[in-house]
Amino acid sequence: MSLADTNASGAPVRGRPRSEAVERAILEGAMKLLEDGVPLAELSIERIARTAGVGKATIYRRWSGKEELFVDMLRSTEPPDPELPGTSMRDDLIVLLESLRLRGLASRSSAILHNVHVQMKSSPKIWAVYDSTVLAPRRRLGVEILRRGQRNGELRADVDVELANDIFVGPLLVRSVMRPDSDLPEDLAERVVDTLLQGLRPVGSPAS
C-alpha cells in the first residue's frame, strides 16, 4: 500500500480497487529510467508514465507526486519490515537489526539503489518524505522496543532510549553506508545486541 492509500489518521482510503500489475509497471518504469542513467532530479511524472505505458492520471490516482512514488519504489526493492517475535527485548532488537543488515546487503548488491540514495539526499523534499514515512517509523519501533525493555526490567530505567536506539543501529549503518567494504556476517545483529546489553542491563540482571 502506498502513501496515497491512507489518510492523515492512517486509515485506508475507500475507493476503486487498485491494480497491482499497473502499480508494479509504474514502479518498474521509474527504476528503469534510473538504470538508464536518468538523474533523479530529471525524472518527471510524464516521463515515468510514458515509460510505464500509462497515463499521468493513473499515477496521480496512486501517488500525490514523484516524491511519494520514489519512496514506494525504494520500498519495493527492500526486504519486508520485520515481524517482531515479542518474546524479549533482546530477541526483538536482534530481529530489528537483522532487517538493517539485510537492507545493507541489498543496497550493496545494487549500484542503482546506492546511487539513488545518494541523489535523494540532495533533494530536501524527497528526503523529507523518505525520512517521515520510512526512517522515522523504524526509529519509533526501535525506541518502543527499548521502552518495553525498561518496563519489563530488561533495561536500566535511567537509560536514554533515544540515544540507546542510535547506539544499537549505529554499527549496522556504519558498516552498510560508511564502510561498504566491511563484513556483514549473519551473526552481526546478535553480536551487536549482546555486546551492548552487557552494559545496559540492570545490575544483577541475568544475561540471556
Side-chain angles (χ1 to χ4, degrees):
M1 179 180 292
S2 77
L3 304 181
D5 286 318
T6 59
N7 58 25
S9 66
V13 175
R14 297 183 182 278
R16 285 191 343 185
R18 288 149 43 97
S19 166
E20 291 185 5
V22 170
E23 179 175 317
R24 187 166 58 252
I26 294 168
L27 296 175
E28 290 177 353
M31 181 61 77
K32 182 181 185 304
L33 289 169
L34 293 171
E35 290 173 346
D36 290 343
V38 179
L40 193 62
E42 295 181 14
L43 286 186
S44 65
I45 292 295
E46 182 176 6
R47 197 167 187 176
I48 295 170
R50 187 165 58 248
T51 302
V54 301
K56 289 193 297 182
T58 300
I59 295 180
Y60 281 118
R61 280 197 295 269
R62 291 160 171 79
W63 297 276
S64 65
K66 71 176 185 178
E67 293 81 16
E68 291 185 351
L69 191 157
F70 289 153
V71 169
D72 272 3
M73 179 192 68
L74 289 175
R75 279 176 168 166
S76 72
T77 65
E78 293 186 345
D81 290 334
E83 182 175 345
L84 302 180
T87 50
S88 69
M89 179 185 69
R90 175 183 178 272
D91 292 345
D92 285 351
L93 286 171
I94 290 174
V95 170
L96 183 64
L97 266 60
E98 173 64 8
S99 72
L100 294 179
R101 187 186 74 90
L102 294 176
R103 285 186 170 93
L105 290 173
S107 181
R108 284 184 181 184
S109 66
S110 172
I112 296 298
L113 287 181
H114 179 74
N115 187 39
V116 168
H117 277 93
V118 171
Q119 293 185 61
M120 189 167 56
K121 290 184 178 180
S122 66
S123 172
K125 189 173 182 180
I126 294 176
W127 181 256
V129 175
Y130 184 73
D131 180 69
S132 65
T133 62
V134 177
L135 301 183
R138 291 176 189 166
R139 287 194 297 269
R140 289 194 295 269
L141 179 59
V143 168
E144 178 54 31
I145 291 172
L146 295 171
R147 284 182 177 144
R148 289 202 304 267
Q150 285 182 322
R151 293 193 295 268
N152 297 335
E154 300 174 86
L155 185 69
R156 292 204 320 265
D158 64 335
V159 171
D160 181 337
V161 292
E162 296 276 357
L163 177 59
N165 182 62
D166 291 344
I167 294 173
F168 275 104
V169 303
L172 276 297
L173 296 180
V174 167
R175 290 201 176 197
S176 299
V177 180
M178 299 178 65
R179 292 174 51 198
D181 59 336
S182 61
D183 195 16
L184 289 172
E186 291 185 2
D187 65 342
L188 180 60
E190 185 174 2
R191 286 165 50 200
V192 168
V193 170
D194 286 343
T195 298
L196 292 173
L197 284 183
Q198 288 180 16
L200 296 177
R201 284 194 181 96
V203 176
S205 175
S208 297

